[in-house]
Amino acid sequence: MAVTLDSVFKQYVAPDGSAVPVIHIPKFALLPGEHVALIGTSGSGKTTLLHLIAGILVPDRGRIVFSGTRDDARGSGSAVVPYSTPPGLGREVDISQLSEARRDVFRGQNIGYIFQTHHLLGGFTALENVQLGMSFTGRRVDVGWATHLLTAVGLADRMHYKPGKLSVGQQQRVAVARALANRPLLVLADEPTGALDPANAQQVLDLIRTLCTEVGASLLLVTHDMTIANQLPRQVMLGELNQPQVK
Amino acid sequence: MNIFQLVLKQMRQRALSTWLTLLSVMLGVALAVVIMLIRRESAVLFGQTDYGFDIIVGAKASSLQLVMNTVYHIDRSPGNIPYSVYKQLTESPQFRPAVRMAVPTAVGDSYQGQRIVGTIPQLFGMEDDGITPIPANRTMQYRPGKRYEIAQGRVFHGQKFEAVIGADITKLTGLKLGDIFKATHGLPKPGETPDIHGEEWTVVGVLKETGTAADRVLYISLPSFYAMSGHDYAMKAQAAIRQGIDTSRANAPGPTTAYDVRPDGTIELHLPESDWALSAVLVKSRSPFFASQMMYVMNNGQQAAAVNPASVMREFFNTFLQPTTRAWGAVAYLVNAVAIVAILVSIYNSVAARIREIAILRALGATRRRVMLTICLEAGLIGLAGGVLGIAAGHLLGALVSGYFQQTIGEGIRWWIVSREEWLYLLSVTVVSMLAGLVPAMKAYRTPVADNLAGV
Ligand SMILES: Nc1ncnc2c1ncn2[C@@H]1O[C@H](COP(=O)(O)OP(=O)(O)O)[C@@H](O)[C@H]1O
Ligand SMILES: [Mg+2]
């Protein structure tokens, strides 16, 4: 699935009421299956951009267009049952034009999101957290795939552990498995290795890339760590892409 | 993982709070249910229109006391009436045509705490000899279409020291067919030294269970009741007072024994019939018209009062029980309202504590409506589960109440029947709980996702 940003503008309202422009991206494209590292300083708007692409936030202006949907991108996988396609998804979807509920459903079906901290639900086991990732798509929960993912991230023997009983690295690996639960076409990772030591960081990065490749997902990975960024085929500096002060 | 599993998991996660809220709903519903139950069943119990007899003739006193004492065998007898009233009812040209059947009763003694009633074999459908049946249409019924029946033995002889015992008496006192017992004067309170009469009765029959207070009564023949030492004395004094005779003369020592027993076992009372006293006469009239006419005449006279047990009990129900249960019903509704506020507060707190988790669910693709539904469902489930437990608890309480009724008036209530009203109540508790869930649900609805994902 390709994502194209076209004149995307987003500003926040500061507590004093003044406008804080954060994002103004004239043009950016992510190709199907492409793995891209997005590099930027703290407070430069990386998280805001990922939220915009995920439809958690909507831009004030501009288009964020997804093309190459699940239908034409790939045949239905092992246990992925057909699901109802939001109107217009057959060709191109501008997520900023969808209603909030549609954006939520679209995100659930097409986008996997990995946060800096694991953001797992404490009351649920690793396996349940992954299944939870499958719960909002309207599709059947595929336990086999959830097990496969947890095995792939090396947690076959930790599936019934709750997050509190896992190490930070293990928690983040569960989060990776959860992000891949719906065989997304796009994975957004917001500093996924930021809280990990180098060895764990490397392991998590490898797992993200391997699994994205396995399901054919595009990957946009935010980092400020160049040793991480340099391992990806393409690096994008948000500072160069983004001109928030220019209207 | 479907929405139910999700909700159940979240409820389990905060099990203590869930259980406490559940408990408060349960208590509220249990209270409401037991009140509904008592209201419903007391309407059945006290709202009967037919006791098998339509008039009770007794002392001119509290009619409620008269009915309670005669029908349910609780409370003291409100006083005595002369035996002549019974004679009038069955023999005088004024009353005789109106009366299909009349049965005299005399109370005042007990055996091991169970009431003894002096009466005639006709109450049980037999002639005075206790073995010859009387026509069915002249047999007394204790409920419409239900007559006393003998399970073991036979009905007592109308003139002998014989007794027929209610179905529960064996269980309560150990007395069996063929046993002999002595009566205790009055109904001594625990700790009081019982004043036991010297006379002895033989149990010649055991009644089939009736499901009424009669199951706990020992029936003896009327003459044997009068034969009890001391009764003659008291009745003589009462008769004297009635006739305006100087009581000191009545108090003069009478014959040393009140009776003799003939060779065939029948009793020859020394006390003249004019001194006999009754607690009540049960009357089955020939028609409601005769009944009301008879009651009118009787109530205008000096000797006795005639009441319709059904209307007395209905009035008792309407003026006392109904308002009382209504007041309790209001209390129950209040308790329920509190319980539902408890659901609201508990879930609101849980939502406040789960804002980040809710944002995560949203990031995973859960829509606002889905999140709201989850929360309302949780509230509704607590309402439903609390309600179901409450209905169960309410009926268990009902069983206790039934046991208490059984103890006091000899009749239980159908505590196990879950009425439509209760199901409707359960439904409304569930719905109102879900609505209460809307408040926290709105909070979740308004939660901005992006802001709550940022935090570490
Ligand atoms: N809800 C908000 N309201 C106002 N300003 C915000 C809000 N969220 C973020 N910002 C500001 O927008 C800028 C970009 O934030 P963010 O996208 O989180 O940056 P990054 O992820 O690159 O560290 C920051 O200066 C931040 O203070
Ligand atoms: Mg950030």
Side-chain angles (χ1 to χ4, degrees):
Chain A
M1 183 163 69
V3 188
T4 313
L5 277 69
D6 191 0
S7 308
V8 172
F9 177 78
K10 174 73 183 176
Q11 65 180 18
Y12 288 116
V13 180
D16 63 3
S18 62
V20 184
V22 176
I23 296 286
H24 182 205
I25 297 176
K27 202 80 191 172
F28 171 70
L30 184 67
L31 301 175
E34 194 184 17
H35 293 189
V36 173
L38 183 70
I39 302 140
T41 54
S42 183
S44 61
K46 305 182 295 294
T47 298
T48 305
L49 177 59
L50 292 196
H51 282 168
L52 286 170
I53 296 172
I56 292 170
L57 292 174
V58 276
D60 300 319
R61 286 198 300 276
R63 288 156 49 82
I64 300 168
V65 177
F66 292 80
S67 54
T69 63
R70 187 175 292 281
D71 296 347
D72 52 334
R74 201 180 59 223
S76 65
S78 60
V80 178
V81 293
Y83 59 96
S84 61
T85 312
L89 193 56
R91 301 169 304 279
E92 288 192 336
V93 178
D94 180 355
I95 196 169
S96 61
Q97 295 299 307
L98 297 178
S99 69
E100 184 180 41
R102 286 250 164 80
R103 291 202 306 277
D104 291 332
V105 172
F106 182 86
R107 177 168 61 251
Q109 290 179 341
N110 296 289
I111 301 173
Y113 208 112
I114 305 168
F115 307 92
Q116 178 169 358
T117 50
H118 60 82
H119 277 348
L120 298 174
L121 268 63
F124 297 73
T125 64
L127 183 62
E128 286 166 346
N129 265 283
V130 176
Q131 290 178 310
L132 208 56
M134 298 172 168
S135 301
F136 308 108
T137 55
R139 281 175 259 164
R140 198 153 38 104
V141 168
D142 184 347
V143 185
W145 178 241
T147 317
H148 166 77
L149 286 169
L150 284 169
T151 309
V153 298
L155 294 175
D157 55 347
R158 294 286 187 279
M159 284 200 251
H160 302 293
Y161 280 49
K162 291 190 176 167
K165 291 240 156 55
L166 296 172
S167 73
V168 182
Q170 288 171 330
Q171 289 169 346
Q172 193 64 328
R173 283 187 269 148
V174 176
V176 170
R178 185 179 65 184
L180 273 297
N182 295 316
R183 303 167 198 269
L185 295 171
L186 170 66
V187 171
L188 302 170
D190 194 350
E191 306 196 45
T193 60
L196 304 178
D197 61 74
N200 269 307
Q202 186 60 47
Q203 189 186 20
V204 165
L205 176 70
D206 291 344
L207 287 170
I208 293 174
R209 296 204 58 201
T210 309
L211 289 172
C212 281
T213 306
E214 183 179 338
V215 302
S218 313
L219 170 67
L220 184 59
L221 185 143
V222 165
T223 184
H224 52 251
D225 182 346
M226 291 312 290
T227 61
I228 297 284
N230 285 332
Q231 294 182 48
L232 272 69
R234 176 152 80 107
Q235 293 80 32
V236 172
M237 299 292 172
L238 186 59
E240 293 170 15
L241 198 65
N242 193 19
Q243 300 136 23
Q245 305 315 323
V246 185
K247 285 213 178 177
Chain B
M1 186 169 304
N2 68 33
I3 190 162
F4 271 104
Q5 293 170 300
L6 179 67
V7 169
L8 289 176
K9 267 229 108 87
Q10 283 173 342
M11 284 165 72
R12 267 229 304 274
Q13 216 179 317
R14 27 185 231 97
L16 182 66
S17 158
T18 302
W19 277 115
L20 288 179
T21 332
L22 209 74
L23 194 72
S24 71
V25 178
M26 185 183 109
L27 287 177
V29 172
L31 191 57
V33 162
V34 77
I35 287 161
M36 284 180 208
L37 202 95
I38 290 173
R39 193 148 60 187
R40 178 189 81 203
E41 291 300 319
S42 57
V44 175
L45 213 53
F46 300 122
Q48 301 179 91
T49 50
D50 197 334
Y51 286 81
F53 45 89
D54 47 9
I55 298 168
I56 297 176
V57 176
K60 280 189 176 296
S62 154
S63 47
L64 180 63
Q65 196 183 347
L66 180 61
V67 177
M68 286 291 195
N69 186 59
T70 314
V71 178
Y72 296 104
H73 298 294
I74 47 178
D75 212 340
R76 288 172 175 282
S77 164
N80 286 345
I81 53 170
Y83 187 78
S84 60
V85 173
Y86 168 65
K87 280 284 185 211
Q88 261 176 43
L89 284 168
T90 49
E91 288 167 12
S92 80
Q94 183 181 22
F95 293 126
R96 203 188 134 74
V99 175
R100 186 185 297 281
M101 179 168 195
V103 171
T105 64
V107 299
D109 295 87
S110 64
Y111 175 73
Q112 287 189 15
Q114 306 307 318
R115 170 168 286 192
I116 292 175
V117 174
T119 187
I120 55 174
Q122 282 79 356
L123 178 60
F124 307 104
M126 294 295 160
E127 296 289 3
D128 219 34
D129 61 7
I131 42 175
T132 315
I134 56 175
N137 69 339
R138 280 187 46 240
T139 300
M140 192 61 89
Q141 300 181 340
Y142 63 89
R143 280 295 135 79
K146 293 199 171 166
R147 286 184 283 139
Y148 291 109
E149 288 177 276
I150 293 288
Q152 297 170 44
R154 58 172 172 83
V155 174
F156 57 76
H157 186 290
Q159 307 292 329
K160 291 182 180 174
F161 281 106
E162 290 182 346
V164 161
I165 58 175
D168 291 344
I169 290 295
T170 301
K171 193 174 67 203
L172 291 167
T173 67
L175 219 51
K176 304 181 304 294
L177 188 68
D179 284 357
I180 288 171
F181 68 94
K182 289 182 177 181
T184 304
H185 185 65
L187 219 171
K189 294 185 181 64
E192 245 174 341
T193 318
D195 169 14
I196 298 172
H197 295 289
E199 289 69 27
E200 288 183 335
W201 282 262
T202 308
V203 177
V204 297
V206 179
L207 291 171
K208 278 192 187 162
E209 192 171 348
T210 63
T212 70
D215 291 345
R216 309 162 74 90
V217 171
L218 300 95
Y219 294 94
I220 61 174
S221 68
L222 207 52
S224 71
F225 185 90
Y226 294 142
M228 269 187 265
S229 46
H231 281 199
D232 58 332
Y233 208 70
M235 287 191 288
K236 216 184 216 152
Q238 285 174 11
I241 292 165
R242 266 199 309 274
Q243 292 152 17
I245 301 170
D246 178 11
T247 46
S248 61
R249 197 173 60 83
N251 276 346
T256 42
T257 50
Y259 62 92
D260 289 309
V261 179
R262 299 189 189 96
D264 65 353
T266 58
I267 300 162
E268 188 190 346
L269 283 174
H270 296 161
L271 192 72
E273 197 181 283
S274 60
D275 288 351
W276 294 3
L278 294 172
S279 302
V281 184
L282 314 180
V283 179
K284 175 82 189 144
S285 70
R286 286 192 195 275
S287 78
F289 170 75
F290 279 133
S292 58
Q293 204 179 39
M294 203 192 86
M295 280 165 64
Y296 180 80
V297 172
M298 191 67 82
N299 288 330
N300 276 313
Q302 298 296 312
Q303 286 189 309
V307 299
N308 178 308
S311 65
V312 169
M313 290 316 291
R314 206 176 314 115
E315 193 178 304
F316 169 63
F317 181 72
N318 289 339
T319 58
F320 174 72
L321 270 178
Q322 190 102 300
T324 314
T325 54
R326 206 171 292 142
W328 276 104
V331 172
Y333 288 137
L334 250 143
V335 173
N336 272 301
V338 171
I340 282 166
V341 172
I343 296 184
L344 190 156
V345 171
S346 147
I347 294 185
Y348 191 90
N349 288 337
S350 114
V351 164
R354 283 202 321 237
I355 285 293
R356 197 182 62 94
E357 293 197 352
I358 288 167
I360 295 167
L361 294 178
R362 293 290 310 281
L364 292 175
T367 60
R368 280 186 200 269
R369 272 181 39 208
R370 179 96 173 203
V371 169
M372 277 186 82
L373 191 67
T374 316
I375 290 161
C376 287
L377 202 66
E378 179 173 347
L381 272 182
I382 292 179
L384 180 68
V388 169
L389 289 177
I391 288 183
H395 282 268
L396 285 182
L397 280 174
L400 292 181
V401 171
S402 181
Y404 175 74
F405 277 10
Q406 193 81 50
Q407 285 287 320
T408 49
I409 63 171
E411 271 180 75
I413 56 174
R414 300 165 304 159
W415 56 269
W416 59 90
I417 295 178
V418 183
S419 65
R420 224 173 77 93
E421 192 188 8
E422 292 171 53
W423 292 123
L424 284 175
Y425 197 75
L426 177 65
L427 184 72
S428 51
V429 165
T430 309
V431 169
V432 174
S433 301
M434 283 188 93
L435 293 178
L438 271 178
V439 177
M442 281 311 295
K443 181 180 173 63
Y445 187 88
R446 283 195 296 266
T447 297
V449 181
D451 295 357
N452 290 294
L453 287 175
V456 177

